[in-house]
Amino acid sequence: MTGLGLVIMACILGGLAGVQYVPQVEKPARPKMETLAVEAREGYECRYVEFTVEKSRDGAERIRAYLLVPDHASRRDRRPAVVMLHDHGARFDIGKEKLVKPMASILDDVTGDHIMKSSQQWIDKNFDGVYLADSLASLGYVVLAADALYWGERSSDDAQRWSELTYGDHEHTRSLKDSIKVLKNKVYDGQKTLYDELYSKGVIWAEKMLRDDIASVGLLKSLPYVDKDRIGAFGFSMGAHRCWMLAAFCKDVRCGVALSWMTSQEPGERMKASDYSMAVMPMREQMDFGDIGMFLAPKPMLFLGGTADHLFPKEKVTKAYDKLRGHYSECPENLQTLFFEGGHHCGKDVQSIIVRYLDENL
């Protein structure tokens, strides 16, 4: 979707008459994929792949991802698939590694140690030690997880250096404590710089993420062992924002699970650095987040939030859920909104809810 496309769409939502436009977001580049490495795991393979996301004047842009393929998946035994969308977390050294156990074989001696440690620390903190993508693959799902722009292999040298000093076996880590903090803040503040750089070229960062995520769906749809009619999406935190945007604007996504990113917008709220990757300003100015339901309905969706989530207070989430339900008034059974006891977290109990929902809908 072009920047102009979302501007015009926002004008429609804002009630401006005489504007007719259908966002062109579902025609990514032909999903040419190359498999770079393969690792056998229990009941499935982890494949390290590179694929095309979009074309430009400078040629085709390609990104790398983890593709998890269950054993025996084939043309005769096509499997359901899930696009897994990672969170923000102010942690940029890893992206896809927040959902998939990293392949040690593709990590070099310089980067491997701290990426493995950073990934495991994130999984222990946010997922009760469970790599959710791997869990789904072991249950028979084809899973794709790629880095969003500014995370993982698409992050900056500063982000990787911060990870190395924080998680690597660096003998001077303690003495560099102040330097590490400065470096981390530099990476965090760099989000606005990236947003401004892209905007100066007519690109909105969140739109770029959306196009890349649509390309991920396109790749799954092209695989001979994937049932193209059973493709879903899951996201946690920023990944949840990506999930409901993707489900809204990609017809090939059959259902979505959005965990811990839905709220109501209050007048006069100020942008933080972490907002820039999700900020489509024309939309924010013209509509509330719950209004995305007008593009989602009647697609099956599950929204989950914690009762003690400090980032998304229950009162504001409840308002957003109410607005979503208004857009699903003709198909209320297709929208599920649930609160679980706890905070901004994807624990084992919540994972069970997610798996059950995907099983029922895919």
Side-chain angles (χ1 to χ4, degrees):
M1 185 192 305
T2 64
L4 177 61
L6 276 176
V7 169
I8 296 177
M9 183 178 71
C11 289
I12 295 173
L13 298 175
L16 297 182
V19 180
Q20 299 294 326
Y21 182 77
V22 177
Q24 301 298 312
V25 297
E26 298 186 30
K27 293 182 180 180
R30 187 183 297 271
K32 296 180 180 179
M33 183 186 77
E34 179 183 0
T35 301
L36 305 178
V38 178
E39 180 177 281
R41 297 183 178 177
E42 190 170 349
Y44 62 99
E45 280 188 348
C46 179
R47 302 177 186 178
Y48 181 55
V49 302
E50 182 178 85
F51 67 101
T52 304
V53 289
E54 61 182 346
K55 294 182 179 180
S56 66
R57 295 178 181 177
D58 300 325
E61 180 185 6
R62 295 172 65 79
I63 65 173
R64 294 181 175 182
Y66 282 131
L67 175 65
L68 308 183
V69 183
D71 294 344
H72 311 303
S74 66
R75 289 182 182 274
R76 293 185 177 181
D77 185 11
R78 297 175 188 263
R79 302 300 179 88
V82 181
V83 175
M84 303 286 282
L85 306 165
H86 69 75
D87 60 78
H88 184 294
R91 175 74 65 83
F92 308 99
D93 58 321
I94 52 176
K96 58 188 178 295
E97 298 85 3
K98 295 180 176 183
L99 295 163
V100 181
K101 184 177 181 180
M103 288 175 61
S105 61
I106 68 169
L107 301 173
D108 59 38
D109 294 337
V110 176
T111 63
D113 178 68
H114 64 268
I115 292 298
M116 295 292 286
K117 288 182 178 179
S118 182
S119 172
Q120 189 62 59
Q121 189 270 349
W122 197 253
I123 290 297
D124 290 343
K125 176 183 178 182
N126 294 284
F127 290 85
D128 286 354
V130 177
Y131 284 97
L132 184 54
D134 292 78
S135 290
L136 288 174
S138 70
L139 294 172
Y141 288 90
V142 176
V143 179
L144 183 68
D147 296 319
L149 181 61
Y150 206 70
W151 280 266
E153 293 184 76
R154 304 172 79 185
S155 67
S156 65
D157 290 339
D158 286 336
Q160 294 301 320
R161 178 61 174 165
W162 170 81
S163 179
E164 178 187 350
L165 293 175
T166 304
Y167 297 101
D169 292 329
H170 200 285
E171 59 181 328
H172 302 300
T173 297
R174 290 186 179 180
S175 64
L176 294 174
K177 182 177 180 180
D178 291 340
S179 298
I180 292 172
K181 183 176 181 180
V182 170
L183 187 60
K184 183 177 181 180
N185 289 339
K186 180 181 178 182
V187 175
Y188 184 79
D189 293 338
Q191 295 172 94
K192 186 179 186 305
T193 301
L194 176 61
Y195 179 92
D196 290 341
E197 288 176 352
L198 290 172
Y199 193 78
S200 70
K201 300 174 183 177
V203 176
I204 294 177
W205 189 1
E207 285 185 39
K208 170 59 178 165
M209 279 195 194
L210 176 59
R211 290 198 301 272
D212 289 353
D213 293 339
I214 290 173
S216 291
V217 176
L219 174 61
L220 285 174
K221 186 180 177 182
S222 73
L223 299 175
Y225 43 82
V226 167
D227 184 341
K228 65 180 181 180
D229 295 321
R230 292 192 291 161
I231 300 175
F234 163 80
F236 168 54
S237 197
M238 179 189 78
H241 182 284
R242 295 166 62 193
C243 176
W244 47 257
M245 286 287 286
L246 177 62
F249 296 110
C250 181
K251 63 180 178 59
D252 294 318
V253 174
R254 179 173 177 176
C255 68
V257 180
L259 170 63
S260 296
W261 210 116
M262 179 49 69
T263 187
S264 57
Q265 190 170 238
E266 301 297 331
E269 286 188 359
R270 298 184 61 182
M271 291 266 292
K272 304 184 297 294
S274 57
D275 291 332
Y276 282 97
S277 56
M278 296 167 274
V280 183
M281 294 313 298
M283 292 183 73
R284 284 202 174 190
E285 292 165 359
Q286 299 291 338
M287 62 188 290
D288 205 349
F289 297 115
D291 286 319
I292 198 71
M294 71 178 68
F295 300 106
L296 284 168
K299 186 169 293 185
M301 289 291 298
L302 169 62
F303 287 85
L304 291 157
T307 56
D309 191 327
H310 65 288
L311 296 176
F312 298 96
K314 184 177 179 181
E315 297 76 16
K316 296 180 67 175
V317 176
T318 298
K319 290 180 181 179
Y321 284 174
D322 289 343
K323 186 160 287 189
L324 282 168
R325 290 191 194 96
H327 295 296
Y328 273 80
S329 59
E330 296 184 3
C331 51
E333 69 281 359
N334 289 355
L335 176 66
Q336 294 187 35
T337 58
L338 301 175
F339 283 103
F340 57 88
E341 294 297 323
H344 199 73
H345 188 67
C346 185
K348 292 180 180 179
D349 290 344
V350 177
Q351 292 173 36
S352 295
I353 296 172
I354 294 166
V355 171
R356 184 165 59 250
Y357 183 84
L358 293 174
D359 285 348
E360 291 171 353
N361 287 275
L362 296 179

